[in-house]
Amino acid sequence: MTDGVGAFVISGPTAVGKGTVVTALKARYPNVRVSVSVTTRPPRPGEVDGVHYWFVDDAEFDELIAGGNLLEWAMVHGTHRYGTPRRAVLESLAAGHPTILEIDLQGARQVRRSMPEAYQVFLAPPSWDELVRRLRGRGTEDEEQMATRLRTARQELAAAAEFDKVVPNITVEQAIAELVDLIGL
Ligand code: 5GP
């Protein structure tokens, strides 16, 4: 349990269901804010600028870094850069909202240094086979992208012990219940 207001990092391997769990949590607890990241990845069908991500090009991302506007950033899966806008997170915290950063392992490590008070949760798959099944089921990646993501996932799973808490995502309901308890909602 935490005091109910603060920053929460939610990390975990690709396709573990971070997005689903965080979206459901936000829908049920309107006081919770989820940081909208900046990315150089092109939008997937249905993704909306400013809602799912802020979609920017490489030059714009460079400017954000140079201006000190990102709380953390990382190259994910060796392809595109993702980062957390600093000001939006600080404003959300100042307004008293529990604020979730859904970011990768590299980002979580940076936040551990730059914002050590943030509580760090690792969302884990019930098993390796289930992770592979979820990634295939999503159908958004081709075989090569999938192989890359699974390689990253293996490394990320090995880092679970670095986190304050490991929450297995067996069902969305069970994972949300554990997060609600941790965040103190
Ligand atoms: P996707 O391309 O599937 O939306 O996201 C790929 C990965 O990027 C996910 O593991 C997600 O957690 C991570 N990610 C999304 N936003 C950020 C961010 O702002 N910073 C970092 N470090 N990783 C992010």
Side-chain angles (χ1 to χ4, degrees), residues 12 18 37 41 44 53 72-74 76-77 82-84 102-104 107 138 149:
K18 298 188 290 285
S37 297
R41 165 170 81 57
R44 296 189 185 123
Y53 285 104
E72 60 75 35
W73 70 271
V76 181
H77 305 304
Y82 298 76
T84 302
E102 189 223 306
I103 57 178
D104 88 322
R138 190 159 79 176
R149 282 179 177 243

Side-chain angles (χ1 to χ4, degrees), residues 16-117:
V16 73
K18 298 188 290 285
T20 308
V21 168
V22 169
T23 303
L25 191 69
K26 189 179 146 192
R28 264 180 246 181
Y29 295 89
N31 194 37
V32 169
R33 295 285 182 274
V34 181
S35 158
V36 178
S37 297
V38 180
T39 185
T40 60
R41 165 170 81 57
R44 296 189 185 123
E47 284 184 336
V48 177
D49 193 38
V51 176
H52 299 92
Y53 285 104
W54 296 104
F55 296 99
V56 299
D57 62 25
D58 270 312
E60 289 168 320
F61 202 96
D62 286 342
E63 278 174 28
L64 290 171
I65 298 172
N69 295 310
L70 300 180
L71 193 60
E72 60 75 35
W73 70 271
M75 173 83 83
V76 181
H77 305 304
T79 44
H80 296 293
R81 290 182 292 174
Y82 298 76
T84 302
R86 183 191 301 276
R87 199 170 75 188
V89 169
L90 297 183
E91 285 176 355
S92 170
L93 290 171
H97 298 290
T99 305
I100 294 176
L101 276 56
E102 189 223 306
I103 57 178
D104 88 322
L105 174 64
Q106 307 168 76
R109 285 175 172 159
Q110 290 173 50
V111 173
R112 212 167 286 147
R113 290 192 296 270
S114 61
M115 197 187 261
E117 67 278 18

